[in-house]
Every structure is written in structure tokens, then in C-alpha cells.
Amino acid sequence: MNRRQQIRMTEAEIAAFLREQDKAALATIGEDGFPHVVAMGYVVEDGAIMMTSYAKAQKVLNIRRNPKVGLMVETGGAYAELRGVMIRGPCEVIEGEAAVKAAFVTMRAARGGSSNPAALASAGKRVVLRLVPEKVTSWDHRKLAGRY
């Protein structure tokens, strides 16, 4: 078994890891062809990654132009502690205040937080970003403990 296979997470490990974390790096492609990477809060719902953003944000403009995105969630300090998941796939922009408020409810329930009145007040200016995974890559370097 090669090193890549040794550090790969199982589907159950990936699901648990994504539930444990709440921030990700979302990469879109800018009009100039360069990556545009931003930090995002997210939640997993029915196998898709759900996020919200202001409709006029650069990442949303980029997704409307080219829906191919990448998302990475990673933790750990030292190399031997690194764990992460990279997801690639198309990202859908979902319009509508009701959809945004529903996403807020889902995110709040998943994270155990309380309602944020400012966020709810901004729902009319926001959209939901829904990333459907096509390719998932994972790593857990802790699985190599003692093999260096």
C-alpha cells in the first residue's frame, strides 16, 4: 500500500471531519484566470456543501461566470498532524431570501449556535452557494505515526 492510500480517510471519517469543522477555503476562478480564495463558513446538507454570501461578492460573480470551484478544510499544525479534505465540483448559486434563511437555520442547527439578527436582516442581499462534490481527496497524516 502506498503512502497516499495509507493517509486517505474513509467516507465515514470524511463525514465526521467535515461535521467537526466550520471554516473552509473556497477557491473560485477570477475573470483574469487566477484563483480567488476566501474563508467561508459551511455546513454539509444531503451530501452538498452549503454556504451563504452576499450576492454581489467577487466569489459569487466568479461562480456565475465559471461554476467550477474547489473547497479545502484542513487542520493540524505539524506535518504529522495534518488532516484535510479537498472537494471539487460545480457550485450552484441559489437566489431568494427564503433559501438564505433556510440555510441559516441549517447552519445554526449544525453548529449549535443562536440566531444572528444581523445575518437574518441581510438575507435579502445574500445567496446560497451549493457545492456538489464531484471529486473528494482526503488526508490524515496521523495514520502514518511512527512510519517516518
Side-chain angles (χ1 to χ4, degrees):
M1 180 182 301
N2 69 33
R3 195 171 283 241
R4 176 76 204 103
Q5 292 169 326
Q6 291 172 337
I7 64 172
R8 185 175 293 133
M9 291 186 205
T10 65
E11 286 187 27
E13 289 170 331
I14 290 170
F17 177 77
L18 292 175
R19 277 192 310 273
E20 292 166 5
Q21 309 307 315
D22 62 357
K23 295 287 184 266
L26 174 68
T28 61
I29 302 297
E31 189 173 20
D32 58 5
F34 283 94
H36 177 82
V37 183
V38 294
M40 297 290 291
Y42 73 92
V43 67
V44 179
E45 182 180 54
D46 298 328
I49 307 296
M50 306 293 283
M51 302 162 278
T52 66
S53 175
Y54 282 99
K56 294 183 179 181
Q58 186 62 54
K59 63 187 155 287
V60 176
L61 299 176
N62 291 345
I63 292 166
R64 289 185 194 281
R65 190 174 35 256
N66 180 350
K68 294 179 181 179
V69 304
L71 183 102
M72 185 179 81
V73 180
E74 187 173 54
T75 63
Y79 184 79
E81 300 167 350
L82 293 178
R83 292 186 303 149
V85 174
M86 180 178 65
I87 299 169
R88 294 186 340 185
C91 189
E92 175 185 9
V93 177
I94 302 170
E95 311 273 351
E97 192 170 335
V100 172
K101 286 182 177 180
F104 283 158
V105 168
T106 300
M107 292 175 92
R108 183 176 61 245
R111 302 294 177 222
S114 59
S115 294
N116 181 339
L120 288 172
S122 72
K125 299 177 183 179
R126 300 177 76 89
V127 295
V128 175
L129 303 176
R130 183 175 183 270
L131 167 56
V132 178
E134 282 187 352
K135 181 174 183 183
V136 178
T137 306
S138 66
W139 54 94
D140 184 348
H141 289 221
R142 300 171 312 165
K143 292 182 175 187
L144 294 175
R147 296 192 181 150
Y148 287 101

